[in-house]
Amino acid sequence: PDLASKRKGISTVLSGEEEIFSRNLDRGIEILQAHIRNGTLDSKAVFQLYDTYGFPIDLTASISSDSNVSVDLVMVEDLMKEQRKRSGAGVAWKHEAISTESPPDHTGSPCNFTGYSNLEEPKSLVTQCYTMPNGYSWITINPCPFYPEGGGQVGDKGELIHSTTGAKINIERTARNSNGGISLLANGQPVDGEVYVARVDENFRKGCSIHHTATHLLNAGLKKVLHECVLQAGSYVTSDRLRFDFTQPRALTDSEIRTVEDYVNNIILANLPVAAKTMHMEEAKELNAAMLFGEKYG
């Protein structure tokens, strides 16, 4: 049923891709034949045909072979590997967490998450602590006001303050663990079984919340303006910015971009109340809540 409802959008995407491929194929053949005539078909030219026009390397090899021109496929593969390395090194919006490791499988205990209503818990018990060689520790606390990363949004940061000594330990990252609980990456080693004040960085949480809401507004604005098969394909939300990826069969016009911007800005200026609510799916449907189950966030 979902595919049937998106028949028009799917057809538009496929037709557009076929047209682009056909156009690039014709252009690639022209360039390839010019290289063959001029005797300039080397590995670099073969790679550029593939990298710029998407011209299949095996097709280049076949056409050049018909003209008794050989292609060094090993050298072409080396150029492709170099390009992949350059692309990886230049990726923007990388995760900014102190550690890219996830909580170890054997750590993590269920906890009472209180972060929707409280940004500080005066008596949080450290229920587990796993210290790594770099001096950081994955810990679990209960209750826990720290919101974990997920759905493209980074987790909370903050601090733990020992209830007796006042010693402070920074919390650099918050993540889900394999037991369904929340693990905190501490810059230090809290004492297992001790009680701490757990305090979320309010400004960081507020910034993430603002950009999280803006992501949903942008999604809604795109769907309202384009009236096409727009699906969220990824996002990155942190305290000072957001990135939004979406599927779309064509480039937006300048007018469409301005219309989407106006839509989002007008809603922001309306200063509507925002609240988090937990409810059954049927109740959410009755309230016309957006159902984004088929969309990707991370």
Side-chain angles (χ1 to χ4, degrees):
D2 194 44
L3 289 176
S5 66
K6 294 180 172 61
R7 180 185 298 273
K8 182 179 179 181
I10 293 171
S11 178
T12 300
V13 171
L14 291 176
S15 297
E17 290 296 324
E18 288 176 355
E19 181 180 344
I20 293 172
F21 180 78
S22 179
R23 186 166 59 247
N24 287 343
L25 189 64
D26 291 341
R27 178 59 177 155
I29 290 175
E30 290 179 8
I31 296 174
L32 174 58
Q33 290 176 338
H35 277 301
I36 292 175
R37 288 194 304 270
N38 299 329
T40 57
L41 185 65
D42 56 11
S43 299
K44 185 176 180 181
V46 174
F47 168 74
Q48 288 178 335
L49 276 170
Y50 171 79
D51 190 51
T52 304
Y53 297 97
F55 198 82
I57 294 175
D58 55 350
L59 184 56
T60 297
S62 177
I63 294 175
S64 60
S65 177
D66 292 340
S67 300
N68 295 319
V69 177
S70 61
V71 175
D72 187 345
L73 296 179
V74 174
M75 180 63 72
V76 174
E77 178 60 27
D78 289 341
L79 291 172
M80 293 175 66
K81 289 180 180 178
E82 291 177 6
Q83 171 67 356
R84 285 193 288 268
K85 288 181 181 179
R86 288 194 297 271
S87 298
V91 171
W93 304 96
K94 287 185 177 179
H95 200 290
E96 296 181 352
I98 296 298
S99 171
T100 57
E101 299 177 18
S102 297
D105 289 339
H106 62 278
T107 66
S109 303
C111 66
N112 177 29
F113 172 69
T114 60
Y116 284 138
S117 57
N118 301 327
L119 292 181
E120 181 175 318
E121 286 294 342
K123 295 182 180 180
S124 283
L125 177 70
V126 175
T127 57
Q128 201 164 29
C129 180
Y130 173 78
T131 301
M132 295 178 288
N134 60 6
Y136 283 83
S137 302
W138 279 110
I139 68 170
T140 54
I141 62 174
N142 193 35
C144 178
F146 292 88
Y147 187 86
E149 62 189 43
Q153 178 174 317
V154 301
D156 280 336
K157 297 181 180 181
E159 61 184 1
L160 296 182
I161 305 170
H162 195 278
S163 59
T164 303
T165 66
K168 294 182 180 181
I169 298 176
N170 289 333
I171 300 300
E172 305 286 358
R173 182 183 170 195
T174 308
R176 288 282 181 189
N177 57 53
S178 58
N179 292 338
I182 299 172
S183 289
L184 312 178
L185 183 64
N187 187 359
Q189 186 176 359
V191 181
D192 195 356
E194 293 286 311
V195 175
Y196 292 78
V197 176
R199 181 177 297 158
V200 174
D201 185 326
E202 183 175 358
N203 290 331
F204 188 84
R205 165 76 79 86
K206 185 176 181 180
C208 290
S209 299
I210 289 171
H211 289 91
H212 184 123
T213 300
T215 301
H216 286 292
L217 293 180
L218 182 55
N219 193 358
L222 287 166
K223 290 182 176 180
K224 181 178 180 64
V225 172
L226 297 176
H227 303 293
E228 294 178 23
C229 185
V230 176
L231 286 176
Q232 183 171 341
S235 66
Y236 178 75
V237 177
T238 186
S239 64
D240 59 354
R241 63 187 182 274
L242 67 88
R243 188 203 72 232
F244 185 81
D245 308 325
F246 65 98
T247 60
Q248 166 68 7
R250 59 177 178 80
L252 276 68
T253 65
D254 290 341
S255 176
E256 288 171 334
I257 292 174
R258 285 194 297 272
T259 304
V260 172
E261 290 175 345
D262 289 344
Y263 173 87
V264 174
N265 286 328
N266 286 335
I267 294 179
I268 292 173
L269 289 172
N271 197 27
L272 301 173
V274 178
K277 293 184 178 180
T278 302
M279 62 186 70
H280 293 293
M281 186 184 298
E282 292 304 319
E283 184 181 355
K285 289 180 178 179
E286 291 178 3
L287 294 175
N288 294 322
M291 303 291 175
L292 308 177
F293 305 119
E295 304 196 28
K296 180 178 176 59
Y297 296 87

